[in-house]
Amino acid sequence: MIRVVVVDDQALMRAGFRALLEAEDGIEVVGEAADGEQGVALVRAQLPDVALIDVQMPVMTGIEATRRIAADPALATVRVVILTNYGLDEYVFEALRAGASGFLLKDTDPADLLQAIGIVAGGEALLSPSITRTLIGEFVSRPPDRSTATGLEHLTRREREVTALAARGLTNEEIAAHMVISPFTAKTHISRAMTKLGARDRAQLVVFAYESGLVTARVPESRCGAQTHAPPPTISRPSS
């Protein structure tokens, strides 16, 4: 049974999510909250598997609520999925940095919502290759945060490589094929890299890869100076 809490300031939206989720075998809604502060208290009281949290709410935003949940060792097993009306915007990037395992648009198809909850409850990040490509577009215009790079020395060469490939949006199976290793070994390398870097899941691992400069995306410019679509990112080769 996957235990879920819904945190949204719109009562109608909460009721809709509850009705949809409780109609599904294997999912139980264990509580609702109308703002971020109530949401954090609810998560602490119920210890759900997944918290669906609206990004913009009164009293405390969904991003701050996510940050507090992610920072609490007692809530390490709780996975946060941000709900948004706006798609991939600045709020989503901040939510990923804060510790969210992914995000969903509020008009997501019901079947996709149910599948997403299962994915996140299983410990995976809700971060598809298309979303990763958009993240690349966001980070390409920013210089690497060298303070973030301090964790790189703790990674082995293999762990750096799988982290970089994950940042390109490759699945464990695709990483395994690229490196000529088993999917289990690829998953093990990913898990060890996340542990060493303090990343809750794959989403934060991708953020680390770009912010640290481990992976960079080179974007060609058109004649008028406008950026075009980013090609596959370049993997930074650390000296150690």
Side-chain angles (χ1 to χ4, degrees):
M1 183 67 69
I2 300 173
R3 303 173 76 251
V4 179
V5 300
V6 180
V7 185
D8 195 299
D9 62 327
Q10 299 180 43
L12 187 60
M13 189 65 68
R14 295 197 307 272
F17 279 120
R18 177 182 280 276
L20 172 64
L21 297 175
E22 291 193 335
E24 183 73 9
D25 291 338
I27 296 179
E28 178 187 9
V29 178
V30 296
E32 299 176 18
D35 62 56
E37 188 173 75
Q38 292 178 14
V40 173
L42 178 63
V43 167
R44 286 173 175 156
Q46 293 292 339
L47 288 178
D49 300 299
V50 178
L52 297 178
I53 300 181
D54 185 20
V55 70
Q56 289 182 302
M57 292 181 291
V59 184
M60 181 188 294
T61 67
I63 293 173
E64 180 59 27
T66 298
R67 186 175 291 112
R68 295 193 185 191
I69 291 169
D72 190 339
L75 305 178
T77 60
V78 178
R79 294 291 176 259
V80 173
V81 175
I82 290 292
L83 301 170
T84 176
N85 288 317
Y86 309 106
L88 275 166
D89 59 13
E90 60 183 294
Y91 296 112
V92 173
F93 297 117
E94 289 302 314
L96 291 174
R97 291 188 184 92
S101 293
F103 78 97
L104 287 171
L105 292 174
K106 288 187 176 182
D107 61 357
T108 293
D109 184 84
D112 291 338
L113 170 64
L114 297 172
Q115 181 183 35
I117 288 175
I119 289 171
V120 173
E124 295 295 326
L126 189 62
L127 199 63
S128 69
S130 62
I131 295 171
T132 300
R133 284 193 292 272
T134 307
L135 281 171
I136 291 170
E138 167 69 9
F139 286 120
V140 71
S141 61
R142 303 179 180 183
D145 181 354
R146 294 304 174 186
S147 65
T148 305
T150 55
L152 286 177
E153 70 273 15
H154 301 301
L155 300 184
T156 66
R157 181 181 61 84
R158 283 295 209 183
E159 288 163 357
R160 290 187 182 118
E161 188 171 357
V162 297
T163 297
L165 293 172
R168 292 177 55 187
L170 274 65
T171 65
N172 288 343
E173 290 72 20
E174 290 168 338
I175 290 172
H178 181 88
M179 297 178 65
V180 195
I181 56 179
S182 72
F184 176 80
T185 301
K187 184 177 181 179
T188 299
H189 285 316
I190 288 286
S191 296
R192 287 175 178 168
M194 288 193 298
T195 298
K196 290 179 179 180
L197 297 173
R200 284 169 63 92
D201 54 36
R202 205 180 191 95
Q204 286 200 312
L205 196 65
V206 170
V207 170
F208 174 88
Y210 284 96
E211 290 195 326
S212 68
L214 176 64
V215 175
T216 58
R218 301 186 184 281
V219 180
E221 294 186 354
S222 65
R223 292 179 184 178
C224 62
Q227 289 186 337
T228 59
H229 294 293
T234 301
I235 302 174
S236 260
R237 299 295 182 186
S239 58
S240 57

